[in-house]
Amino acid sequence: KVSFTKTQITDINEVYNGSNPFMNEIKAIEKYEERHHVDILKPTIFPFEVTHVDTHQDKDALVIRYRNDNLHGLFQLKVTKTSHSLEEYPSNNVVSYTLRDGTKAFYQSNYIPAKQLLFQRGKIQYTIGISQSTKKNVAVSNLLQIANSMISN
């Protein structure tokens, strides 16, 4: 809503901005998929309502941070192209789980900033984490639910 006189705007009131916080996610994933010729899995379940999405890419990695500013919430997805198997990952301080489709996943409960779950599909390794400042008692079931929700285009 815009209020104005004959010569100037006196007030602008935003009724609905229509923005979609997932536009940054979509653009970053498309860019990464084109560059690396892969299909990236995307979460369809989140630990909170997402109000903002920030992304960062470097040579082999894509990091997507889903935020809720009201909760100071942070859920992060890191996608890395790798030539190594996740089975080669050091197994100390990790607990092994199996996703619905049979994919092996490793839960790291002792990682300080966030509880995180790692899994690999093909040559793409996924790390998902929920910041402990978002939710103090992040249960592995929260991360498994998100991982099991991840789909490709």
Side-chain angles (χ1 to χ4, degrees):
K1 177 181 173 186
V2 178
S3 302
F4 57 92
T5 65
K6 287 184 181 182
T7 57
Q8 68 182 14
I9 295 174
T10 58
D11 189 31
I12 298 176
N13 223 352
E14 185 177 279
V15 177
Y16 173 70
N17 73 5
S19 66
N20 179 349
F22 292 96
M23 289 307 296
N24 291 338
E25 174 204 48
I26 293 165
K27 290 176 187 175
I29 288 174
E30 286 175 353
K31 183 177 176 183
Y32 189 89
E33 288 177 335
E34 285 177 22
R35 182 187 304 161
H36 295 286
H37 309 287
V38 295
D39 287 325
I40 299 300
L41 301 177
K42 297 164 275 308
T44 58
I45 293 176
F46 296 90
F48 46 74
E49 181 183 349
V50 175
T51 60
H52 294 78
V53 178
D54 304 314
T55 66
H56 173 75
Q57 284 189 54
D58 60 25
K59 182 180 171 194
D60 291 322
L62 167 63
V63 176
I64 305 173
R65 292 182 184 96
Y66 302 90
R67 300 181 184 277
N68 181 305
D69 281 352
N70 298 329
L71 300 174
H72 303 288
L74 174 63
F75 162 65
Q76 179 172 291
L77 167 64
K78 182 177 181 182
V79 178
T80 309
K81 191 170 181 186
T82 182
S83 58
H84 303 290
S85 169
L86 192 59
E87 299 294 326
E88 298 171 21
Y89 191 81
S91 61
N92 55 342
N93 297 322
V94 298
V95 179
S96 179
Y97 288 87
T98 303
L99 301 179
R100 264 189 245 130
D101 70 351
T103 301
K104 190 174 220 177
F106 296 117
Y107 175 60
Q108 293 180 309
S109 61
N110 62 339
Y111 188 64
I112 299 300
K115 304 295 184 180
Q116 60 182 25
L117 188 75
L118 291 82
F119 65 97
Q120 186 169 332
R121 298 234 176 101
K123 295 292 182 187
I124 303 294
Q125 182 177 326
Y126 297 88
T127 306
I128 58 175
I130 301 172
S131 166
Q132 292 185 53
S133 64
T134 302
K135 185 175 180 184
K136 293 291 182 206
N137 298 316
V138 176
V140 69
S141 60
N142 299 127
L143 296 168
L144 289 168
Q145 182 182 30
I146 295 166
N148 281 318
S149 82
M150 294 178 70
I151 60 171
S152 64
N153 287 340

